[in-house]
Amino acid sequence: MGLIVQKYGGTSVATPERVKHVARRVVATKQAGHKVAVVVSAPGGTTDHLIDLARQVNERPPAREMDMLLATGEQVSIALLAMAIHKLDHAAISLTGAQVRILTDKVHTKARILEVDRRRLDRELSRGNIVIVAGFQGITAEDEITTLGRGGSDVTAVALASALGADVCEIYTDVEGVFTADPRIAPGVRKLDVLSFDEILEMASSGAVVLQTRAAEYAKQYNVPLHIRSTFSEAEGTRIVEERAMEKSRVVTAVTHDRDVTKITIAGLPDVPGVAHRLFSALAARHINVDMIIQSASRDGKADISFTVSSADGETAAKVTEEVSREIGARGVHWENGVAKISIVGAGMVSNPGVAAKLFGAIAEEGVNIQLISTSEIKVSCIIDAAEVERCVRAVHRAFNLDRL
Ligand code: ASP
Ligand code: MG
């Protein structure tokens, strides 16, 4: 008998019919002899609707009250799912993040999980209950309700699986797994059977939406085996495992893209020690995550720095940068939203020269200009005009023969 954590996303619980479908799947897992803990998101569209409501009464709602509001979405799903399971004559109990005591830091709307208390979970599981936990939420040491950032139910699921030592954390979604590119835009995409933690982390952080970045980070850090699969089919999805458990044959595994990118350039920075530190600590103090950073070579004692942030943080990041720019006497700040990031990811890239050149070649053939480039051991990313991104994803997918095995 094993212990399985299952996470169902918003589309999987968007209607009463779907909630009943999920209930049947959960019960089937229980009947196969496993202990089951389930994490659910708010019904599809609910979180967006709540955000919209908040904006209608206050365009800058206090973050604490935002969390009070947003946490209600998941509470709807857990209660409905528990009811649907009861209807199937199985024992289930729903719990909020606070009831479990999913302890987080105090950063409202993007809190980080510090610890998951497993005592209540263990108690309920050993009573034979299917335990249903609200995703996306936690509680601070001061008993304040927090949320974990958009898509945060994935993080809840991985944290729960880690705390419980689950055999697997299954992430149920509306697609059959992780693909070589976004199936909505590239023809001939293939489902990937297996990925390493590093690959899923790089894919998530470069725009693949199947798994939230922090959840990928957490899974890698705590070595939580994942299985990303469809709520609506029995097919095997994509398994995420440690790299040594994989054969390394692929150079490039997937192409990802991200349209939620803001590019900010601060020009004419005095080229002296401490300037970058000043800028990026000011951004960090506002909890803004910076992605790519590129500094130009210095000319006449001045340099430019360009960096990217997610567009949700774009305006705040630009404001902070403008303040810093004035303080340190830079020439000025320019920012734009109409850019996108295209990336290739693959664990075999480390030992294969020429991969980046091939990527740049495919983009050049489309006549598209590359604005920024960054690389890691297993990823190369380019910032391009957002209007060109779909075309480039298709071209790059073809160039690396990702449509073929
Ligand atoms: N309901 C939250 C959101 O829409 C969390 C989640 O779905 O994972 O972002
Ligand atoms: Mg999600």
Side-chain angles (χ1 to χ4, degrees), residues 5-9 12 153-158 168-177 209-212 215 225-231 237-238 240:
V5 171
Q6 299 186 329
K7 181 255 166 179
Y8 292 90
S12 305
S153 297
D154 291 348
V155 185
T156 307
V158 175
V168 63
C169 177
E170 296 180 330
I171 306 282
Y172 284 90
T173 180
D174 51 1
V175 290
E176 293 217 330
V209 288
V210 277
L211 190 71
Q212 208 243 25
L226 304 182
H227 185 186
I228 300 174
R229 58 192 308 194
S230 166
T231 306
T238 303
I240 319 290

Side-chain angles (χ1 to χ4, degrees), residues 144-196:
E144 295 288 1
I145 290 175
T146 49
T147 63
L148 310 178
R150 296 309 304 269
S153 297
D154 291 348
V155 185
T156 307
V158 175
L160 229 63
S162 167
L164 292 169
D167 297 289
V168 63
C169 177
E170 296 180 330
I171 306 282
Y172 284 90
T173 180
D174 51 1
V175 290
E176 293 217 330
V178 185
F179 288 81
T180 50
D182 185 337
R184 285 166 301 189
I185 67 172
V189 293
R190 282 183 304 108
K191 189 188 78 194
L192 295 155
D193 295 329
V194 58
L195 281 172
S196 70

Side-chain angles (χ1 to χ4, degrees), residues 7-10 40-48 51 70 73-74 135-136 149-155 212:
K7 181 255 166 179
Y8 292 90
V40 272
S41 296
T46 302
T47 307
D48 288 329
I51 292 172
L70 295 188
E74 271 65 16
F136 178 56
R150 296 309 304 269
S153 297
D154 291 348
V155 185
Q212 208 243 25

Side-chain angles (χ1 to χ4, degrees), residues 265-284:
T265 300
I266 174 164
L269 281 166
D271 192 19
V272 293
V275 167
H277 173 249
R278 224 144 125 208
L279 171 60
F280 293 108
S281 35
L283 292 163

